[in-house]
Amino acid sequence: MDALGWKPLAKIGGGRFSDIYKVQKNDPENCSAVIGEQQLFALKLVDPDDEKPPHNIRNEIKILSDLKKAQEEQNTAISNVINLISVSFNNIEYGLLFPLLDMTLSQMIKSHVKSRVVFNSDGTMKMRKVNTIPIDNVFKIVVGLMKGLDWIHSRGVIHRDINPNNILFSREDPVMPVIIDFGISYQGPDNNGLEKPDRKFTDIATGIYKAPELLLSKRDYSNKVDMWAVGILIALILSKDGKPIFEQDSMYSDLVLLSNILATFGSPPSDWSDCKGLTSFDSLNRTFFTKSPKPLETIVPRLFEEPETDSSSKLQKTIAGLTKYETSQRLSAHDSLAILLC
Ligand SMILES: Nc1ncnc2c1ncn2[C@@H]1O[C@H](COP(=O)(O)OP(=O)(O)OP(=O)(O)O)[C@@H](O)[C@H]1O
Protein backbone atom coordinates (compact mmCIF):
# COMPACT_ATOMS: atom_id res chain seq x y z
CA MET A 1 0.00 0.00 0.00
CA ASP A 2 1.20 3.49 -0.81
CA ALA A 3 -0.25 6.56 0.90
CA LEU A 4 0.50 9.65 -1.15
CA GLY A 5 4.11 8.53 -1.65
CA TRP A 6 4.58 7.28 1.92
CA LYS A 7 4.79 3.74 3.18
CA PRO A 8 2.25 3.18 5.98
CA LEU A 9 3.54 1.05 8.86
CA ALA A 10 0.56 1.19 11.24
CA LYS A 11 -2.66 3.04 11.83
CA ILE A 12 -2.11 5.16 14.94
CA GLY A 13 -5.28 7.16 15.18
CA GLY A 14 -8.21 8.62 13.43
CA GLY A 15 -11.46 10.35 13.95
CA ARG A 16 -14.79 10.39 12.15
CA PHE A 17 -13.24 11.93 9.06
CA SER A 18 -9.58 11.00 9.14
CA ASP A 19 -7.04 8.20 9.39
CA ILE A 20 -3.63 8.77 10.90
CA TYR A 21 -0.77 6.46 9.95
CA LYS A 22 2.77 6.02 11.12
CA VAL A 23 4.69 6.20 7.83
CA GLN A 24 8.19 6.06 6.51
CA LYS A 25 9.67 7.42 3.35
CA ASN A 26 9.32 5.31 0.23
CA ASP A 27 12.34 6.85 -1.34
CA PRO A 28 14.75 8.02 1.37
CA GLU A 29 17.21 9.55 -1.14
CA ASN A 30 14.70 11.94 -2.69
CA CYS A 31 12.94 12.96 0.48
CA SER A 32 15.86 13.96 2.65
CA ALA A 33 15.82 17.59 1.48
CA VAL A 34 12.24 18.03 2.62
CA ILE A 35 12.34 16.18 5.90
CA GLY A 36 15.96 15.94 6.97
CA GLU A 37 17.25 12.87 8.72
CA GLN A 38 14.06 11.80 10.44
CA GLN A 39 12.74 8.42 9.28
CA LEU A 40 9.25 8.08 10.73
CA PHE A 41 6.30 10.48 10.48
CA ALA A 42 2.60 10.78 11.12
CA LEU A 43 0.40 11.14 8.03
CA LYS A 44 -3.16 12.41 8.43
CA LEU A 45 -5.38 11.37 5.49
CA VAL A 46 -8.67 13.16 4.93
CA ASP A 47 -11.17 13.07 2.07
CA PRO A 48 -12.72 16.56 2.06
CA ASP A 49 -15.93 15.21 0.49
CA ASP A 50 -16.56 13.08 3.58
CA GLU A 51 -16.26 15.93 6.04
CA LYS A 52 -19.06 17.82 7.76
CA PRO A 53 -18.67 21.34 9.19
CA PRO A 54 -17.03 22.53 11.35
CA HIS A 55 -14.44 19.92 10.19
CA ASN A 56 -12.57 21.34 7.24
CA ILE A 57 -9.25 19.95 6.12
CA ARG A 58 -8.52 22.85 3.75
CA ASN A 59 -9.00 25.26 6.63
CA GLU A 60 -6.73 23.12 8.83
CA ILE A 61 -4.03 23.28 6.14
CA LYS A 62 -4.45 27.06 5.77
CA ILE A 63 -4.23 27.66 9.53
CA LEU A 64 -1.21 25.39 10.05
CA SER A 65 0.57 26.84 7.00
CA ASP A 66 -0.06 30.41 8.22
CA LEU A 67 1.22 29.56 11.69
CA LYS A 68 4.33 28.00 10.17
CA LYS A 69 4.92 30.99 7.87
CA ALA A 70 4.53 33.44 10.75
CA GLN A 71 7.13 31.51 12.76
CA GLU A 72 9.53 31.59 9.83
CA GLU A 73 8.99 35.33 9.29
CA GLN A 74 9.47 36.10 12.97
CA ASN A 75 12.35 33.66 13.19
CA THR A 76 10.81 31.98 16.22
CA ALA A 77 10.20 28.31 16.89
CA ILE A 78 7.10 27.49 18.91
CA SER A 79 7.59 23.83 19.74
CA ASN A 80 4.26 23.52 21.55
CA VAL A 81 2.26 23.62 18.30
CA ILE A 82 2.52 20.79 15.78
CA ASN A 83 4.65 21.54 12.74
CA LEU A 84 2.99 20.78 9.39
CA ILE A 85 5.89 19.41 7.37
CA SER A 86 4.17 19.10 4.00
CA VAL A 87 0.82 18.60 2.27
CA SER A 88 -0.04 16.32 -0.64
CA PHE A 89 -3.25 15.69 -2.59
CA ASN A 90 -4.10 12.80 -4.94
CA ASN A 91 -7.43 14.21 -6.21
CA ILE A 92 -9.29 12.32 -3.51
CA GLU A 93 -7.49 12.70 -0.21
CA TYR A 94 -5.24 15.24 1.40
CA GLY A 95 -2.20 13.93 3.24
CA LEU A 96 -0.77 16.10 6.00
CA LEU A 97 2.68 15.08 7.13
CA PHE A 98 3.69 15.74 10.74
CA PRO A 99 6.57 14.78 13.04
CA LEU A 100 5.70 11.50 14.75
CA LEU A 101 5.05 11.88 18.45
CA ASP A 102 4.81 9.05 20.93
CA MET A 103 1.78 9.47 23.17
CA THR A 104 -1.31 11.50 23.84
CA LEU A 105 -1.92 13.27 27.13
CA SER A 106 -4.61 10.64 27.86
CA GLN A 107 -2.04 7.85 27.45
CA MET A 108 0.51 9.77 29.48
CA ILE A 109 -1.92 10.19 32.40
CA LYS A 110 -2.91 6.51 32.20
CA SER A 111 0.74 5.46 32.42
CA HIS A 112 1.08 7.46 35.67
CA VAL A 113 -2.01 6.04 37.36
CA LYS A 114 -0.88 3.23 39.68
CA SER A 115 -2.82 0.86 41.88
CA ARG A 116 -1.94 1.36 45.54
CA VAL A 117 -3.06 -0.45 48.67
CA VAL A 118 -4.72 1.77 51.29
CA PHE A 119 -5.71 0.72 54.81
CA ASN A 120 -9.16 1.51 56.17
CA SER A 121 -9.62 2.54 59.83
CA ASP A 122 -11.00 -0.95 60.62
CA GLY A 123 -7.75 -2.57 59.48
CA THR A 124 -9.12 -3.85 56.17
CA MET A 125 -7.42 -2.75 53.00
CA LYS A 126 -8.47 -1.83 49.50
CA MET A 127 -6.81 -1.00 46.21
CA ARG A 128 -6.97 2.61 45.05
CA LYS A 129 -5.91 4.27 41.80
CA VAL A 130 -3.35 7.01 42.39
CA ASN A 131 -2.18 9.58 39.86
CA THR A 132 1.58 9.86 40.34
CA ILE A 133 2.43 12.70 37.92
CA PRO A 134 4.64 15.02 40.00
CA ILE A 135 3.22 18.54 40.47
CA ASP A 136 6.43 20.04 39.08
CA ASN A 137 5.92 18.06 35.87
CA VAL A 138 2.31 19.27 35.67
CA PHE A 139 3.63 22.80 36.07
CA LYS A 140 6.00 22.37 33.11
CA ILE A 141 3.24 20.84 30.98
CA VAL A 142 0.91 23.74 31.80
CA VAL A 143 3.57 26.29 30.89
CA GLY A 144 4.05 24.51 27.53
CA LEU A 145 0.31 24.45 26.86
CA MET A 146 0.05 28.15 27.63
CA LYS A 147 2.97 28.97 25.33
CA GLY A 148 1.29 27.08 22.49
CA LEU A 149 -2.09 28.70 23.14
CA ASP A 150 -0.56 32.15 23.55
CA TRP A 151 1.07 31.75 20.17
CA ILE A 152 -2.00 30.60 18.26
CA HIS A 153 -4.25 33.17 19.98
CA SER A 154 -1.79 35.95 19.12
CA ARG A 155 -2.23 34.90 15.47
CA GLY A 156 -6.04 35.10 15.70
CA VAL A 157 -6.59 31.34 15.87
CA ILE A 158 -9.01 29.63 18.27
CA HIS A 159 -8.21 25.92 18.52
CA ARG A 160 -11.76 24.89 19.55
CA ASP A 161 -10.89 21.31 20.48
CA ILE A 162 -8.41 21.34 23.35
CA ASN A 163 -8.72 17.89 24.94
CA PRO A 164 -6.33 15.14 26.14
CA ASN A 165 -6.25 13.39 22.76
CA ASN A 166 -5.11 16.55 21.01
CA ILE A 167 -2.07 17.08 23.22
CA LEU A 168 0.89 14.91 22.34
CA PHE A 169 4.33 14.21 23.81
CA SER A 170 7.53 12.64 22.62
CA ARG A 171 9.24 10.04 24.79
CA GLU A 172 12.38 12.21 24.92
CA ASP A 173 10.55 15.14 26.49
CA PRO A 174 7.44 14.00 28.36
CA VAL A 175 6.82 17.45 29.87
CA MET A 176 6.81 19.30 26.53
CA PRO A 177 3.22 19.22 25.21
CA VAL A 178 2.48 19.66 21.52
CA ILE A 179 -0.98 20.88 20.47
CA ILE A 180 -2.32 19.01 17.43
CA ASP A 181 -5.54 18.82 15.38
CA PHE A 182 -6.62 22.15 13.94
CA GLY A 183 -9.43 20.38 12.05
CA ILE A 184 -12.21 22.50 13.57
CA SER A 185 -10.15 25.58 14.45
CA TYR A 186 -11.21 29.15 13.72
CA GLN A 187 -8.97 31.75 12.12
CA GLY A 188 -10.01 35.37 12.52
CA PRO A 189 -11.54 37.50 11.21
CA ASP A 190 -14.15 35.18 9.61
CA ASN A 191 -12.53 31.73 9.49
CA ASN A 192 -11.52 32.21 5.87
CA GLY A 193 -15.07 33.04 4.83
CA LEU A 194 -16.56 30.00 6.59
CA GLU A 195 -18.02 31.63 9.74
CA LYS A 196 -18.75 35.23 10.62
CA PRO A 197 -17.33 36.19 14.04
CA ASP A 198 -20.81 36.58 15.57
CA ARG A 199 -22.20 33.44 13.88
CA LYS A 200 -19.59 30.85 14.82
CA PHE A 201 -20.47 27.15 15.12
CA THR A 202 -21.25 26.18 18.70
CA ASP A 203 -20.95 22.46 17.98
CA ILE A 204 -17.26 22.51 18.79
CA ALA A 205 -15.01 21.12 21.54
CA THR A 206 -15.13 17.59 22.92
CA GLY A 207 -17.33 16.42 25.80
CA ILE A 208 -16.46 17.89 29.17
CA TYR A 209 -14.08 20.45 27.64
CA LYS A 210 -16.96 22.59 26.31
CA ALA A 211 -17.03 26.06 27.84
CA PRO A 212 -20.28 27.03 29.58
CA GLU A 213 -21.05 29.84 27.11
CA LEU A 214 -21.04 27.24 24.30
CA LEU A 215 -23.61 25.19 26.19
CA LEU A 216 -25.80 28.29 26.22
CA SER A 217 -25.36 28.67 22.43
CA LYS A 218 -23.32 31.86 22.47
CA ARG A 219 -22.14 32.32 18.89
CA ASP A 220 -19.81 35.32 19.18
CA TYR A 221 -17.49 33.54 21.59
CA SER A 222 -13.76 34.21 21.81
CA ASN A 223 -10.53 32.30 22.29
CA LYS A 224 -11.54 32.07 25.96
CA VAL A 225 -13.34 28.80 25.04
CA ASP A 226 -9.84 27.31 24.74
CA MET A 227 -8.93 28.73 28.14
CA TRP A 228 -11.91 27.08 29.85
CA ALA A 229 -11.00 23.80 28.14
CA VAL A 230 -7.41 24.02 29.31
CA GLY A 231 -8.61 24.72 32.88
CA ILE A 232 -10.65 21.50 32.88
CA LEU A 233 -7.72 19.70 31.29
CA ILE A 234 -5.31 20.87 34.00
CA ALA A 235 -7.77 19.63 36.65
CA LEU A 236 -7.64 16.21 34.95
CA ILE A 237 -3.81 16.13 34.89
CA LEU A 238 -3.85 17.03 38.59
CA SER A 239 -6.61 14.66 39.62
CA LYS A 240 -5.91 12.23 42.45
CA ASP A 241 -6.98 9.20 40.40
CA GLY A 242 -6.50 10.26 36.77
CA LYS A 243 -10.23 10.83 36.29
CA PRO A 244 -11.99 13.99 35.05
CA ILE A 245 -13.60 16.32 37.59
CA PHE A 246 -17.07 15.84 36.08
CA GLU A 247 -19.27 12.71 36.03
CA GLN A 248 -18.71 10.29 33.15
CA ASP A 249 -22.11 11.09 31.60
CA SER A 250 -21.04 14.73 31.11
CA MET A 251 -19.01 13.40 28.16
CA TYR A 252 -22.20 12.55 26.29
CA SER A 253 -24.90 14.94 27.49
CA ASP A 254 -24.66 18.73 27.45
CA LEU A 255 -27.39 18.90 30.08
CA VAL A 256 -25.45 16.67 32.47
CA LEU A 257 -22.32 18.68 31.70
CA LEU A 258 -24.04 21.97 32.47
CA SER A 259 -25.39 20.66 35.76
CA ASN A 260 -21.90 19.33 36.65
CA ILE A 261 -20.36 22.72 35.83
CA LEU A 262 -22.91 24.47 38.07
CA ALA A 263 -22.40 21.94 40.87
CA THR A 264 -18.62 22.44 40.72
CA PHE A 265 -18.12 26.13 39.95
CA GLY A 266 -21.46 27.45 41.24
CA SER A 267 -24.14 29.24 39.24
CA PRO A 268 -22.97 31.88 36.78
CA PRO A 269 -23.51 35.49 37.88
CA SER A 270 -27.08 36.62 37.08
CA ASP A 271 -25.62 39.54 35.10
CA TRP A 272 -23.16 37.32 33.16
CA SER A 273 -22.41 39.72 30.33
CA ASP A 274 -21.36 37.01 27.84
CA CYS A 275 -24.76 35.35 27.91
CA LYS A 276 -27.07 38.19 28.91
CA GLY A 277 -30.06 38.27 26.56
CA LEU A 278 -29.64 34.67 25.36
CA THR A 279 -32.88 32.69 25.71
CA SER A 280 -30.97 29.70 27.06
CA PHE A 281 -29.44 31.85 29.83
CA ASP A 282 -32.85 33.21 30.83
CA SER A 283 -34.25 29.72 31.04
CA LEU A 284 -31.20 28.53 33.01
CA ASN A 285 -31.81 31.29 35.55
CA ARG A 286 -35.49 30.42 35.76
CA THR A 287 -35.13 26.64 35.91
CA PHE A 288 -31.97 25.74 37.83
CA PHE A 289 -31.53 26.29 41.56
CA THR A 290 -28.73 28.66 42.47
CA LYS A 291 -25.60 26.69 43.31
CA SER A 292 -22.57 27.74 45.34
CA PRO A 293 -19.09 26.98 44.04
CA LYS A 294 -17.11 24.15 45.59
CA PRO A 295 -13.85 25.26 47.22
CA LEU A 296 -10.89 24.85 44.84
CA GLU A 297 -9.38 22.57 47.47
CA THR A 298 -12.03 19.93 46.78
CA ILE A 299 -11.75 20.32 42.98
CA VAL A 300 -7.96 19.93 42.79
CA PRO A 301 -6.94 18.54 46.21
CA ARG A 302 -3.42 17.61 45.09
CA LEU A 303 -2.61 21.32 44.85
CA PHE A 304 -3.39 21.76 48.53
CA GLU A 305 -1.26 18.94 49.87
CA GLU A 306 1.46 20.06 52.26
CA PRO A 307 3.98 21.48 51.86
CA GLU A 308 2.72 24.14 49.45
CA THR A 309 5.25 24.80 46.70
CA ASP A 310 5.76 27.64 44.26
CA SER A 311 4.35 25.41 41.47
CA SER A 312 1.25 24.41 43.43
CA SER A 313 0.36 27.96 44.50
CA LYS A 314 0.78 29.26 40.93
CA LEU A 315 -1.31 26.40 39.54
CA GLN A 316 -4.05 27.19 42.09
CA LYS A 317 -4.22 30.80 40.85
CA THR A 318 -4.18 29.66 37.23
CA ILE A 319 -7.02 27.13 37.56
CA ALA A 320 -9.14 29.58 39.57
CA GLY A 321 -8.65 32.18 36.82
CA LEU A 322 -9.34 29.81 33.93
CA THR A 323 -12.68 28.64 35.27
CA LYS A 324 -14.37 32.04 35.55
CA TYR A 325 -17.72 32.33 33.75
CA GLU A 326 -17.23 35.98 32.79
CA THR A 327 -14.83 35.74 29.86
CA SER A 328 -13.44 39.23 30.48
CA GLN A 329 -12.24 37.87 33.84
CA ARG A 330 -11.15 34.44 32.55
CA LEU A 331 -7.36 34.30 32.18
CA SER A 332 -5.86 34.46 28.70
CA ALA A 333 -2.86 32.28 27.88
CA HIS A 334 -0.72 35.40 28.14
CA ASP A 335 -2.11 36.24 31.62
CA SER A 336 -1.56 32.64 32.69
CA LEU A 337 2.09 32.75 31.64
CA ALA A 338 2.53 35.97 33.63
CA ILE A 339 1.27 34.13 36.75
CA LEU A 340 3.23 30.94 36.10
CA LEU A 341 6.54 32.51 35.16
CA CYS A 342 6.67 35.41 37.64
N1 LIG B 1 1.87 13.72 14.87
C1 LIG B 1 1.30 12.66 15.46
N2 LIG B 1 2.07 11.73 16.06
C2 LIG B 1 1.52 10.66 16.67
N3 LIG B 1 0.19 10.43 16.74
C3 LIG B 1 -0.64 11.31 16.15
C4 LIG B 1 -0.13 12.47 15.48
N4 LIG B 1 -1.17 13.17 15.00
C5 LIG B 1 -2.28 12.49 15.36
N5 LIG B 1 -1.97 11.38 16.05
C6 LIG B 1 -2.92 10.39 16.64
O1 LIG B 1 -4.12 10.40 15.90
C7 LIG B 1 -5.21 10.87 16.73
C8 LIG B 1 -6.16 11.69 15.89
O2 LIG B 1 -5.48 12.80 15.30
P1 LIG B 1 -6.26 14.14 14.92
O3 LIG B 1 -6.92 14.64 16.17
O4 LIG B 1 -5.38 15.05 14.19
O5 LIG B 1 -7.39 13.56 13.93
P2 LIG B 1 -8.92 13.91 13.91
O6 LIG B 1 -9.52 13.32 12.70
O7 LIG B 1 -9.12 15.35 14.09
O8 LIG B 1 -9.44 13.11 15.18
P3 LIG B 1 -10.70 13.49 16.06
O9 LIG B 1 -11.89 13.57 15.16
O10 LIG B 1 -10.75 12.32 17.04
O11 LIG B 1 -10.37 14.79 16.74
C9 LIG B 1 -4.53 11.63 17.88
O12 LIG B 1 -5.33 11.66 19.05
C10 LIG B 1 -3.27 10.80 18.07
O13 LIG B 1 -3.57 9.62 18.80
Side-chain angles (χ1 to χ4, degrees), residues 323-342:
T323 50
K324 296 256 186 271
Y325 285 102
E326 195 68 67
T327 58
S328 60
Q329 287 169 22
R330 197 178 297 163
L331 291 179
S332 65
H334 201 73
D335 302 331
S336 305
L337 285 172
I339 293 174
L340 295 163
L341 301 179
C342 72

Side-chain angles (χ1 to χ4, degrees), residues 147-160:
K147 285 185 177 166
L149 286 171
D150 187 31
W151 165 246
I152 68 166
H153 290 171
S154 75
R155 304 302 308 172
V157 172
I158 313 176
H159 184 278
R160 303 205 293 188

Side-chain angles (χ1 to χ4, degrees), residues 30-318:
N30 286 341
C31 294
S32 57
V34 187
I35 52 180
E37 293 310 307
Q38 209 177 329
Q39 298 294 320
L40 298 174
F41 302 87
L43 184 71
K44 178 170 181 170
L45 294 176
V46 180
D47 176 347
D49 292 340
D50 284 346
E51 287 187 302
K52 290 207 171 55
H55 286 85
N56 189 313
I57 188 65
R58 294 191 180 95
N59 207 43
E60 179 169 12
I61 294 168
K62 165 89 171 73
I63 292 173
L64 286 169
S65 307
D66 285 357
L67 288 172
K68 185 176 173 141
K69 202 165 135 217
Q71 287 193 42
E72 283 162 5
E73 279 166 11
Q74 294 181 13
N75 209 9
T76 48
I78 311 291
S79 28
N80 302 105
V81 175
I82 194 75
N83 173 33
L84 175 63
I85 299 170
S86 65
V87 180
S88 36
F89 184 57
N90 63 7
N91 286 320
I92 300 170
E93 285 184 313
Y94 281 97
L96 280 61
L97 192 72
F98 297 108
L100 180 72
L101 291 149
D102 297 309
M103 64 196 140
T104 63
L105 176 58
S106 301
Q107 292 164 334
M108 202 268 273
I109 295 172
K110 226 178 206 169
S111 71
H112 281 86
V113 175
K114 312 279 180 210
S115 288
R116 292 273 152 84
V117 175
V118 287
F119 289 93
N120 300 315
S121 49
D122 62 1
T124 57
M125 54 183 206
K126 64 175 178 194
M127 296 297 274
R128 212 180 61 189
K129 300 271 182 214
V130 179
N131 173 11
T132 61
I133 303 178
I135 302 286
D136 283 340
N137 286 14
V138 179
F139 182 86
K140 288 178 191 148
I141 293 169
V142 174
V143 168
L145 287 173
M146 293 304 176
K147 285 185 177 166
L149 286 171
D150 187 31
W151 165 246
I152 68 166
H153 290 171
S154 75
R155 304 302 308 172
V157 172
I158 313 176
H159 184 278
R160 303 205 293 188
D161 200 11
I162 293 295
N163 75 66
N165 290 324
N166 285 341
I167 311 293
L168 300 189
F169 296 88
S170 68
R171 229 165 261 123
E172 292 81 60
D173 197 347
V175 290
M176 218 274 294
V178 180
I179 301 170
I180 67 156
D181 191 4
F182 288 72
I184 62 168
S185 298
Y186 185 96
Q187 186 174 33
D190 64 355
N191 206 20
N192 303 306
L194 296 168
E195 291 162 76
K196 294 203 173 99
D198 56 347
R199 308 287 301 158
K200 297 188 189 96
F201 287 113
T202 53
D203 186 16
I204 56 153
T206 297
I208 61 165
Y209 301 95
K210 279 184 197 141
E213 61 270 25
L214 294 172
L215 299 174
L216 297 183
S217 303
K218 182 179 168 68
R219 300 197 66 180
D220 58 343
Y221 55 82
S222 68
N223 59 28
K224 294 290 178 73
V225 296
D226 288 345
M227 302 317 295
W228 179 277
V230 83
I232 305 302
L233 188 81
I234 299 170
L236 168 75
I237 315 175
L238 281 166
S239 62
K240 271 188 155 326
D241 54 3
K243 298 219 174 85
I245 55 169
F246 301 137
E247 292 171 309
Q248 170 89 7
D249 281 353
S250 314
M251 272 320 265
Y252 316 107
S253 156
D254 282 354
L255 188 61
V256 180
L257 175 60
L258 187 60
S259 79
N260 270 257
I261 291 177
L262 301 187
T264 308
F265 299 107
S267 300
S270 54
D271 60 347
W272 184 13
S273 66
D274 293 278
C275 292
K276 226 174 175 176
L278 294 178
T279 329
S280 44
F281 186 47
D282 290 345
S283 79
L284 172 86
N285 284 335
R286 266 185 283 114
T287 329
F288 279 70
F289 292 112
T290 306
K291 298 270 188 186
S292 309
K294 283 185 186 166
L296 194 59
E297 199 168 339
T298 61
I299 303 172
V300 276
R302 287 191 69 204
L303 287 183
F304 292 82
E305 282 164 6
E306 298 294 333
E308 187 178 86
T309 62
D310 189 49
S311 303
S312 60
S313 75
K314 286 174 174 172
L315 285 170
Q316 286 172 20
K317 281 191 203 130
T318 308

